[in-house]
Amino acid sequence: QVQLQESGPGLVKPSGTLSLTCAVSGGSISSSNWWSWVRQPPGKGLEWIGEIYHSGSTNYNPSLKSRVTISVDKSKNQFSLKLSSVTAADTAVYYCARESAVAEIYYMDVWGKGTTVTVSS
Amino acid sequence: DIQMTQSPSSLSASVGDRVTITCQASQDISNYLNWYQQKPGKAPKLLIYDASNLETGVPSRFSGSGSGTDFTFTISSLQPEDIATYYCQQYDNLRTFGPGTKVDIK
C-alpha cells in the first residue's frame, strides 16, 4: 500500500525558505492522483497549501500562492514544497497527502505522519 | 474563494449518544465534500467522501449527508475511540477545510 514520508529541516530562519520533500513508497507518483501539502499551526485547524499532478500541473491556495512552489521528481518518486519569505506564522506541522481522483470525486486518502517546522532565529 | 463553517466548534456527549456536526459552504459545492477525523498528534484520516460515501474500513456508525451548501456528519452511537476533531473539506474549487469540531466524552 502507498505510504508517504515527509522530510526536511525542522528549523527555518525568518525570511528564509522552507523546503520539504515527500517520498512516495508502495506506488508510483505517476499514477492518476494528485499530491498535496496541508499544514496545521500549533493548536489550530488544517490549511490546504497546494497540490501537484505528475505532469507538473499545480494548484495553490490563493493566500499562499505568491510564496509557494510545489514540484515533482518522478525519477525519485517524490514531490516537494518550497515556501519562501517565512515568518513565525508559518510554524506548523506539514503533511503531505495523496488525493485520489475517481471521475469528479477527489479525496485525500493517504497521509504522511507530518513533520514539524518551526520558524525562529 | 469558498469558505467553510462548522458547528458546533466543540461538543461533549456520552458514550452511545448520537452526535451531529454541521458544515456549511459559502456557495453551492454540489456533493463535493469530504469528512476527516484527526486524533491528537496524528494525521487526519478520511471517513466520508463525496458527502455521503463511507471510506473502506470505516465503521458504519459514521455517516454523512447533504448537498449544495449544507452538510451533516453523524456518529450514530459515540464510542470512546471517536474522541477527535472532525473536519469537513470542499473540493469544488481548489480545496478548503472547515475550522473543525472537537468531540469529547462527557
Side-chain angles (χ1 to χ4, degrees), chain B residues 26-74:
Chain B
S26 59
Q27 64 188 68
D28 188 337
I29 60 170
S30 186
N31 292 338
Y32 299 153
L33 186 100
N34 303 321
W35 289 95
Y36 299 86
Q37 174 193 66
Q38 187 181 34
K39 297 183 178 180
K42 300 294 187 182
K45 175 186 176 183
L46 176 69
L47 298 182
I48 302 285
Y49 63 91
D50 197 37
S52 60
N53 293 283
L54 195 66
E55 169 71 339
T56 301
V58 173
S60 59
R61 64 180 180 273
F62 296 102
S63 65
S65 64
S67 66
T69 61
D70 296 305
F71 301 86
T72 300
F73 173 81
T74 300

Side-chain angles (χ1 to χ4, degrees), chain A residues 1 5 10 32 105 119:
Chain A
Q1 80 214 41
Q5 179 65 59
S32 299
I105 302 171
V119 178

Side-chain angles (χ1 to χ4, degrees), chain A residues 17-120:
Chain A
T17 296
L18 179 159
S19 297
L20 296 175
T21 295
C22 181
V24 180
S25 59
S28 173
I29 202 166
S30 295
S31 56
S32 299
N33 301 296
W34 286 79
W35 304 93
S36 295
W37 288 98
V38 175
R39 71 180 183 178
Q40 185 170 38
K44 296 188 177 181
L46 302 169
E47 179 179 33
W48 178 74
I49 298 170
E51 62 183 5
I52 191 165
Y53 197 68
H54 60 79
S55 63
S57 295
T58 54
N59 293 304
Y60 296 132
N61 185 327
S63 69
L64 299 169
K65 188 173 183 177
S66 63
R67 299 194 292 130
V68 172
T69 302
I70 298 176
S71 59
V72 64
D73 187 335
K74 290 185 280 187
S75 67
K76 294 183 178 179
N77 217 37
Q78 63 186 34
F79 62 108
S80 298
L81 168 70
K82 289 190 186 297
L83 181 65
S84 63
S85 304
V86 297
T87 70
D90 295 309
T91 294
V93 176
Y94 286 76
Y95 296 99
C96 59
R98 180 185 78 175
E99 186 178 64
S100 290
V102 179
E104 294 184 341
I105 302 171
Y106 296 83
Y107 46 85
M108 298 177 209
D109 60 345
V110 179
W111 293 71
K113 293 183 177 180
T115 188
T116 299
V117 179
T118 302
V119 178
S120 176

